[in-house]
Amino acid sequence: IVFMGTPDFAAASLRALHGFAAEAGAAIVGVFTREDKPAGRGHKLTPPPVKVLAEELGIPVFQPRTLRCAESLECLRSLAPNLIVVTAYGRILPPEVLELPAYGCINVHGSLLPEYRGAAPMQRAIIDGKSFTGITTMYMNEGIDTGDMLRTCRVDIGPEDDFGTVHDRMAEAGGELLIATISELCRGTLTRTPQPEEGATYAAKIEKEDCIIDFTRPAAALHDLVRGCSPAPLAVTHTADGRLLKVAASRVGENAGGAPGEVTSLDAHGEGGITVACGEGSLILTRIVPEGKGKMSAAEFIRGRKISLGDRLN
């Protein structure tokens, strides 16, 4: 087996696959992941989570800039995989790679396909206010998450879940479903189901403009946006003096009057809250990241006199 993946979500699948391989007498002959990238204030070159785990497990790591060059293809051919497993790799596999292993390329995708094909299925499901999502394993083809489905499992999204909590549950569920899928493949009982086009949606990558809070919208929709963008990249607005204000947590309040974006109430006790009027209801900001500062409670921000009643966030 060759494994391809990059972030923490993929590392959970690699860990599960390693345990399965040890019991089943299979071998993970190589891990392909993205290049090390600068991170943090010091821009220190940092390896992706899958590379860190693969090195801990003693698996050879490969970090090609592309899979389309002759060198990368020759490297893959020399590993002679019977199966390629892909989880959040972040690169499109060319036809030459898809056709290489005898048992194909199996992908672990973070949605119940055909809904939320694409790069940000978990975040988009939360932003859309869904009460559940799930994992789909599928055979890969040249389309974007359009291959035949193999197995699925459902993962619930609670009303106060954010991307962080859903991501962690989904990562573990992805690893478990991957092992169930490969076990069926080994037994010869794995079945494939073509994806219907009816109900297909696309979950595009979260861009900066997707994170902007528009207070003319209903508070419930903005709360879902905050949850879907937390802990990263975080939903954003600006204070009355034009400084960036990121919102890490919120809750929905009742209609408090005031124009959309107007601060109608300030609670400096405990975690506190900054109540902001919306097109429908109000959004209570409870955890924030002011420009140039770290994450703090709304109460801390209020006590620092950085915001006043009647201010307009925009």
Side-chain angles (χ1 to χ4, degrees), residues 50-68:
V50 161
K51 177 181 179 179
V52 174
L53 177 58
E55 289 180 340
E56 287 177 5
L57 299 175
I59 306 170
V61 175
F62 304 89
Q63 296 177 278
R65 292 185 178 275
T66 176
L67 292 177
R68 297 183 182 277

Side-chain angles (χ1 to χ4, degrees), residues 213-224 226 250-264 274-285 312-313:
I213 299 174
D214 175 3
F215 287 104
T216 64
R217 299 179 63 206
L222 296 182
H223 177 57
D224 291 338
V226 169
S250 64
R251 64 180 186 269
V252 177
E254 296 179 356
N255 198 329
E262 182 179 344
V263 176
T264 61
I274 301 166
T275 302
V276 186
C278 300
E280 181 182 309
S282 62
L283 187 69
I284 304 172
L285 317 183
R312 291 287 293 273
L313 304 186

Side-chain angles (χ1 to χ4, degrees), residues 158-286:
E160 300 307 318
D161 272 327
D162 61 16
F163 173 51
T165 57
V166 172
H167 169 280
D168 291 349
R169 288 204 301 275
M170 291 277 281
E172 291 305 311
E176 292 171 6
L177 193 68
L178 171 63
I179 300 316
T181 302
I182 298 179
S183 296
E184 286 197 21
L185 175 66
C186 292
R187 292 194 299 267
T189 58
L190 189 62
T191 58
R192 50 199 300 168
T193 304
Q195 283 192 48
E197 282 304 311
E198 184 179 354
T201 57
Y202 184 71
K205 179 183 175 184
I206 302 294
E207 303 289 354
K208 286 184 178 180
E209 55 267 27
D210 295 320
C211 302
I212 297 170
I213 299 174
D214 175 3
F215 287 104
T216 64
R217 299 179 63 206
L222 296 182
H223 177 57
D224 291 338
L225 173 65
V226 169
R227 295 190 301 130
C229 293
S230 184
L234 293 180
V236 300
T237 184
H238 290 83
T239 54
D241 59 1
R243 297 180 73 83
L244 188 69
L245 184 68
K246 297 181 178 181
V247 183
S250 64
R251 64 180 186 269
V252 177
E254 296 179 356
N255 198 329
E262 182 179 344
V263 176
T264 61
S265 177
L266 295 171
D267 177 7
H269 302 287
E271 284 292 296
I274 301 166
T275 302
V276 186
C278 300
E280 181 182 309
S282 62
L283 187 69
I284 304 172
L285 317 183
T286 57

Side-chain angles (χ1 to χ4, degrees), residues 24-246:
I28 304 174
V29 293
V31 165
F32 282 65
T33 189
R34 298 288 295 269
E35 307 95 308
D36 296 3
K37 289 186 176 181
R41 291 187 177 181
H43 299 288
K44 181 181 178 182
L45 207 58
T46 304
V50 161
K51 177 181 179 179
V52 174
L53 177 58
E55 289 180 340
E56 287 177 5
L57 299 175
I59 306 170
V61 175
F62 304 89
Q63 296 177 278
R65 292 185 178 275
T66 176
L67 292 177
R68 297 183 182 277
C69 67
E71 184 180 358
S72 296
L73 290 172
E74 184 54 39
C75 175
L76 265 172
R77 290 191 181 104
S78 69
L79 294 171
N82 302 114
L83 175 70
I84 294 177
V85 172
V86 182
T87 306
Y89 179 36
R91 293 200 190 284
I92 293 175
L93 273 58
E96 296 89 343
V97 174
L98 294 173
E99 295 164 2
L100 181 63
Y103 292 99
C105 300
I106 289 179
N107 178 242
V108 179
H109 183 73
S111 79
L112 295 173
L113 292 170
E115 194 173 46
Y116 297 116
R117 297 169 177 168
M122 291 178 279
Q123 289 156 298
R124 294 289 181 185
I126 299 167
I127 291 171
D128 289 348
K130 297 286 187 179
S131 60
F132 67 90
T133 182
I135 301 288
T136 304
T137 51
M138 66 174 180
Y139 271 122
M140 299 179 72
N141 60 16
E142 292 184 51
I144 297 176
D145 302 323
T146 56
D148 290 351
M149 298 181 294
L150 300 172
R151 292 194 58 155
T152 63
C153 70
R154 170 173 161 152
V155 176
D156 289 335
I157 302 174
E160 300 307 318
D161 272 327
D162 61 16
F163 173 51
T165 57
V166 172
H167 169 280
D168 291 349
R169 288 204 301 275
M170 291 277 281
E172 291 305 311
E176 292 171 6
L177 193 68
L178 171 63
I179 300 316
T181 302
I182 298 179
S183 296
E184 286 197 21
L185 175 66
C186 292
R187 292 194 299 267
T189 58
L190 189 62
T191 58
R192 50 199 300 168
T193 304
Q195 283 192 48
E197 282 304 311
E198 184 179 354
T201 57
Y202 184 71
K205 179 183 175 184
I206 302 294
E207 303 289 354
K208 286 184 178 180
E209 55 267 27
D210 295 320
C211 302
I212 297 170
I213 299 174
D214 175 3
F215 287 104
T216 64
R217 299 179 63 206
L222 296 182
H223 177 57
D224 291 338
L225 173 65
V226 169
R227 295 190 301 130
C229 293
S230 184
L234 293 180
V236 300
T237 184
H238 290 83
T239 54
D241 59 1
R243 297 180 73 83
L244 188 69
L245 184 68
K246 297 181 178 181

